[in-house]
Amino acid sequence: MSMNLQTQRLWKFFRTAMWCGAGVAAVLGTTPVRAQALQDVQTASAPLVLKAQGSFYIGGEKVEQTQGELGNLGPGGHITVNQMYVRYMVPQNDRSPPVVMIHGATLTGKTWETTPDGRMGWDEYFVRKGHPVYVPDQVGRGRSGFNQAIFNNARAGSTPPANQPEFLRFSDEAVWPNFRFGTKAGAPFPDTQFPIAAVDELAKQAVPDLNRGLPTPTPTIKALSELATQLKGTVLMSHSQSGSFPLAAALLNPAVTKAMVLVEPGACPANYTDDQIKALSTVPLLVVFGDHRTNPTGMPSLPTWQQRFEGCQALIGRLKAAGGQAQMLDPAERGIRGNTHMIMQDKNSLQIADFILQWLDEHAGKPSARSK
Amino acid sequence: MSMNLQTQRLWKFFRTAMWCGAGVAAVLGTTPVRAQALQDVQTASAPLVLKAQGSFYIGGEKVEQTQGELGNLGPGGHITVNQMYVRYMVPQNDRSPPVVMIHGATLTGKTWETTPDGRMGWDEYFVRKGHPVYVPDQVGRGRSGFNQAIFNNARAGSTPPANQPEFLRFSDEAVWPNFRFGTKAGAPFPDTQFPIAAVDELAKQAVPDLNRGLPTPTPTIKALSELATQLKGTVLMSHSQSGSFPLAAALLNPAVTKAMVLVEPGACPANYTDDQIKALSTVPLLVVFGDHRTNPTGMPSLPTWQQRFEGCQALIGRLKAAGGQAQMLDPAERGIRGNTHMIMQDKNSLQIADFILQWLDEHAGKPSARSK
């Protein structure tokens, strides 16, 4: 980061502490380890003033299916598949570039909303800082849905069940080491920033992930590029499995991608051509990783988080060599320890958000001709 | 309805017209028949001021599954299933009972958000009228997810694929007559209130429906009752397949159900005992049906909408005989023709909302001890 950020750190800590304080004061009757309920959800101290909020879909294609493929509820015919749901909030004081927040594997846009322990999500926090925020559900999950025909066909015996794609879920036991809450389930790192008492609320955020049943590349990427075009320029922020999506979407149309923020990306691709690097170097890149990256993940078939971190350092190096603005945000390097894979839900989530917001101020610029 | 409503109709028409006018003026560059895009989404003329917004989950249960049941992404272990996602907005001027809006078959909470042609959804409109609004995704759909184990087991050959529940979808061809947009796809009723040019946007709102794979009764009902308890009293508003859910949730705890609004319910149960009717008669009930109810639905296995209407009239009769406040809102009877099954998305959706809002003012009362 810059000198500017260094000098502002103190008052940012103060601002974060104020937010947290306001939140804690608003909690009514919480106890540390019970399941989240409505009364655990904290109310901000100041109202949220929106110019607009709502939702819409991007993309999608019409397909024709039989009565059986549709589950025998009614006659066969046409349905729409592979469309992407997007929910948005535009602040009244809309003066900054929009930010599109894309969730990771087995999760939905809920990732960015109210945290498991009831604090303000990044969706609202970025809006309060002046950014319109757009939160999609990836195609294949949540309100974006998926193409169910192959499952109904297998049920009817007209296609082998082995043709069905797997629905993916992480067990709690897999989440703890892989998301670096601790060495294993129930054994948090002493310095963990994740709100461990609310870890079962994160478990509720998980839904079956049909990523393996989608066309390649996932239609989400084209939909993100289309959304960036409709926004006449946006920041694309990804997480985990969607890590490289902003890069892929930017390659479709670099001009409408104002910046890319990769939060704990599952991968920074190593195989870009020099031409692709040249195109990507026109878009500022920030990569954010939490702590405890050498923790064994318990997922032997996948890279460690330190390997992913190093892959992203290599990409940053290539982009900088091509003249790009690319950098790593590693809070641990600044003495902020214990951040996890779910850094947007960590106890210091707003502190991390402030780093990103300042980087956006410095690198994403002001859009010249946005309609919203 | 009451005399009061009759006398207020003129200014309500005027208010609705003002809203529509403001919306149309805010549209930039729309054309009548293209797919909805961001620029088709209208911005309200006044900001939306929220005391709070966010999301949380209700219910859910831990189950233990094998690596295969979880899709072989990582080790087996525990996951959470059957939890219910809820998004909420609380207005700054929070003086009215909350309203929980529950969507119907093959749909999600999106039903109540921005309409297919980009107008304000009932979620925001009710908030602007002072009601906190809570929008769940039913268990088995959207961000509430479902239990994927049986599908992965069938894929692996460890269970017969015929054991899989069917994922349900309606084809566009089934939607047109069944939702009473017209006699068949592409043939709208001349007086239809549905924004037909945007009908493909409704198609995008549909996702695979796993209702047949859920425990009976659906965990959504217990979750709704739990939500009503946490809210210390709420209005439960349902649509279509969720039609009877407010009644079922109210039977679990009538005291926290301030009113039930059934919008185009798929069924009003005929088999309640006298004791159940007595309990339900303590909760005001409004049933809302659109026009063209005798239109052949194209779904021979299901009742016609006129049959459903008559079933609800019978329930209203039983509740009134037991001393309850129960009534039918039939806009066609008031000369408002052409409303459809998606009445909350119809062109006159805010006019219909105003009827409901006034009924709530008259019947749902003010909560005495809500914490939010």
Side-chain angles (χ1 to χ4, degrees):
Chain A
M1 296 299 220
S2 64
M3 291 289 289
N4 194 359
L5 204 158
Q6 295 287 336
T7 58
Q8 295 196 14
R9 196 181 299 172
L10 262 176
W11 76 264
K12 277 175 186 294
F13 267 109
F14 178 67
R15 191 168 56 178
T16 303
M18 278 184 60
W19 268 111
C20 294
V24 169
V27 175
L28 297 171
T30 55
T31 56
V33 198
R34 77 169 182 212
Q36 182 180 323
L38 178 59
Q39 54 265 47
D40 302 320
V41 175
Q42 301 167 18
T43 299
S45 53
L48 176 66
V49 184
L50 299 178
K51 182 187 294 179
Q53 72 84 39
S55 63
F56 57 96
Y57 282 86
I58 299 233
E61 48 185 308
K62 281 268 189 231
V63 295
E64 188 167 8
Q65 297 189 344
T66 65
Q67 179 170 319
E69 287 172 327
L70 297 171
N72 293 302
L73 188 61
H78 293 82
I79 63 167
T80 301
V81 298
N82 296 338
Q83 68 276 26
M84 185 177 83
Y85 170 81
V86 184
R87 186 174 78 85
Y88 70 94
M89 294 190 282
V90 179
Q92 181 67 3
N93 60 339
D94 166 22
R95 288 184 307 265
S96 307
V99 179
V100 178
M101 300 181 174
I102 315 144
H103 62 82
T106 78
L107 299 169
T108 72
K110 165 63 182 168
T111 291
W112 311 99
E113 299 177 351
T114 315
T115 67
D117 56 337
R119 287 170 294 117
M120 185 185 298
W122 278 10
D123 65 337
E124 180 173 334
Y125 191 64
F126 278 66
V127 168
R128 285 178 179 269
K129 296 299 178 186
H131 294 271
V133 168
Y134 295 76
V135 178
D137 285 346
Q138 283 191 42
V139 174
R141 261 170 285 164
R143 292 177 172 180
S144 295
F146 57 91
N147 187 339
Q148 80 301 325
I150 198 167
F151 300 98
N152 287 340
N153 282 337
R155 180 181 187 277
S158 61
T159 192
N163 288 6
Q164 291 182 170
E166 285 159 316
F167 282 113
L168 306 181
R169 295 289 302 263
F170 286 111
S171 66
D172 299 344
E173 289 82 353
V175 161
W176 275 75
N178 192 36
F179 288 16
R180 289 128 56 216
F181 299 157
T183 53
K184 62 178 184 178
F189 296 119
D191 65 0
T192 188
Q193 292 282 2
F194 192 80
I196 289 295
V199 71
D200 277 347
E201 292 304 314
L202 173 63
K204 293 182 188 176
Q205 298 183 12
V207 300
D209 177 332
L210 198 70
N211 215 42
R212 293 188 183 163
L214 297 176
T216 305
T218 166
T220 298
I221 289 169
K222 192 178 164 206
L224 290 172
S225 177
E226 171 63 22
L227 177 56
T229 300
Q230 291 187 21
L231 288 167
K232 297 187 172 67
T234 191
V235 177
L236 294 176
M237 181 187 292
S238 63
H239 178 235
S240 194
Q241 165 253 348
S242 71
S244 64
F245 290 9
L247 298 154
L251 284 173
L252 296 179
N253 188 355
V256 292
T257 310
K258 295 298 179 194
M260 307 177 287
V261 180
L262 280 50
V263 178
E264 288 263 322
C268 282
N271 59 351
Y272 288 130
T273 65
D274 288 345
D275 279 352
Q276 287 175 316
I277 289 290
K278 194 175 166 187
L280 289 172
S281 72
T282 63
V283 185
L285 171 72
L286 181 68
V287 183
V288 184
F289 272 100
D291 201 356
H292 298 295
R293 294 187 299 265
T294 57
N295 192 51
T297 63
M299 314 276 285
S301 66
L302 298 176
T304 68
W305 289 101
Q306 182 60 23
Q307 287 170 327
R308 300 173 203 237
F309 177 85
E310 289 165 9
C312 291
Q313 279 184 315
L315 177 64
I316 288 169
R318 288 188 74 189
L319 291 170
K320 286 170 81 167
Q325 297 177 312
Q327 61 190 99
M328 181 70 77
L329 171 59
D330 179 6
E333 214 176 43
R334 301 160 185 265
I336 301 168
R337 308 305 305 241
N339 274 114
T340 76
H341 188 53
M342 301 305 292
I343 196 166
M344 75 294 286
Q345 301 180 349
D346 280 348
K347 288 179 282 187
N348 64 342
S349 59
L350 302 188
Q351 180 186 23
I352 304 298
D354 282 339
F355 288 139
I356 297 171
L357 285 160
Q358 179 163 353
W359 182 87
L360 289 177
D361 282 349
E362 293 165 4
H363 295 89
K366 304 293 178 194
S368 53
R370 280 188 299 115
S371 64
K372 292 270 172 186
Chain B
M1 297 296 221
S2 63
M3 292 289 289
N4 193 359
L5 204 160
Q6 297 285 338
T7 58
Q8 294 196 14
R9 197 181 298 171
L10 263 177
W11 76 264
K12 275 174 187 294
F13 267 107
F14 178 66
R15 192 168 55 178
T16 302
M18 278 186 59
W19 269 110
C20 294
V24 168
V27 175
L28 299 172
T30 55
T31 56
V33 197
R34 77 169 182 211
Q36 180 181 323
L38 178 59
Q39 53 267 48
D40 301 320
V41 174
Q42 300 166 20
T43 299
S45 54
L48 176 66
V49 184
L50 299 178
K51 182 187 293 179
Q53 71 86 37
S55 62
F56 57 96
Y57 282 86
I58 299 233
E61 48 184 308
K62 283 270 189 226
V63 295
E64 188 166 8
Q65 297 189 344
T66 66
Q67 179 170 319
E69 286 173 328
L70 297 171
N72 293 302
L73 188 62
H78 293 81
I79 63 167
T80 301
V81 299
N82 294 339
Q83 67 277 25
M84 185 177 83
Y85 170 82
V86 185
R87 186 174 79 83
Y88 69 95
M89 294 190 283
V90 179
Q92 181 68 2
N93 59 339
D94 166 22
R95 287 185 305 267
S96 306
V99 179
V100 178
M101 300 182 174
I102 314 144
H103 63 82
T106 81
L107 298 169
T108 71
K110 166 63 182 167
T111 292
W112 310 99
E113 299 177 351
T114 314
T115 68
D117 57 338
R119 287 170 294 117
M120 186 185 297
W122 278 10
D123 65 337
E124 180 174 334
Y125 191 65
F126 277 68
V127 168
R128 285 178 179 271
K129 297 299 179 187
H131 293 272
V133 169
Y134 295 76
V135 179
D137 285 346
Q138 283 191 41
V139 174
R141 260 171 286 164
R143 292 177 172 181
S144 296
F146 56 91
N147 188 339
Q148 81 301 326
I150 198 168
F151 300 98
N152 287 340
N153 282 336
R155 181 181 187 275
S158 61
T159 193
N163 287 6
Q164 292 181 172
E166 285 158 317
F167 282 113
L168 306 181
R169 295 288 302 264
F170 286 112
S171 65
D172 299 344
E173 289 82 352
V175 162
W176 276 75
N178 192 36
F179 288 16
R180 288 128 56 217
F181 299 157
T183 53
K184 61 177 183 177
F189 296 119
D191 64 359
T192 187
Q193 292 282 1
F194 192 80
I196 289 295
V199 72
D200 277 347
E201 292 303 315
L202 173 62
K204 294 181 187 176
Q205 298 183 12
V207 300
D209 178 331
L210 197 71
N211 214 41
R212 292 189 182 163
L214 298 176
T216 304
T218 167
T220 298
I221 289 169
K222 190 177 165 209
L224 291 171
S225 176
E226 171 62 21
L227 177 57
T229 300
Q230 291 188 22
L231 288 167
K232 298 187 170 66
T234 190
V235 177
L236 294 176
M237 181 188 293
S238 62
H239 177 236
S240 194
Q241 164 253 348
S242 71
S244 64
F245 289 11
L247 298 154
L251 284 173
L252 296 180
N253 188 354
V256 292
T257 309
K258 296 297 178 192
M260 307 178 287
V261 180
L262 280 50
V263 179
E264 288 263 324
C268 282
N271 59 351
Y272 288 129
T273 65
D274 288 345
D275 279 351
Q276 288 175 317
I277 288 290
K278 192 174 169 189
L280 289 172
S281 71
T282 63
V283 184
L285 170 72
L286 182 68
V287 182
V288 184
F289 272 99
D291 201 356
H292 298 294
R293 294 187 299 264
T294 56
N295 192 52
T297 63
M299 316 275 286
S301 66
L302 298 176
T304 66
W305 289 102
Q306 182 59 24
Q307 287 169 327
R308 299 173 205 237
F309 177 86
E310 288 165 10
C312 291
Q313 279 184 315
L315 177 64
I316 288 169
R318 288 188 75 190
L319 291 170
K320 286 170 81 167
Q325 296 176 314
Q327 62 189 99
M328 181 72 76
L329 170 59
D330 179 6
E333 214 175 44
R334 299 159 185 267
I336 301 168
R337 306 307 304 243
N339 274 114
T340 76
H341 187 53
M342 301 305 293
I343 196 167
M344 76 294 285
Q345 302 180 350
D346 279 348
K347 288 178 283 186
N348 64 341
S349 58
L350 302 189
Q351 180 186 22
I352 304 299
D354 283 338
F355 289 138
I356 296 171
L357 285 160
Q358 179 164 353
W359 183 87
L360 289 178
D361 283 350
E362 293 166 3
H363 295 88
K366 306 292 179 194
S368 53
R370 279 189 300 116
S371 64
K372 293 270 172 186

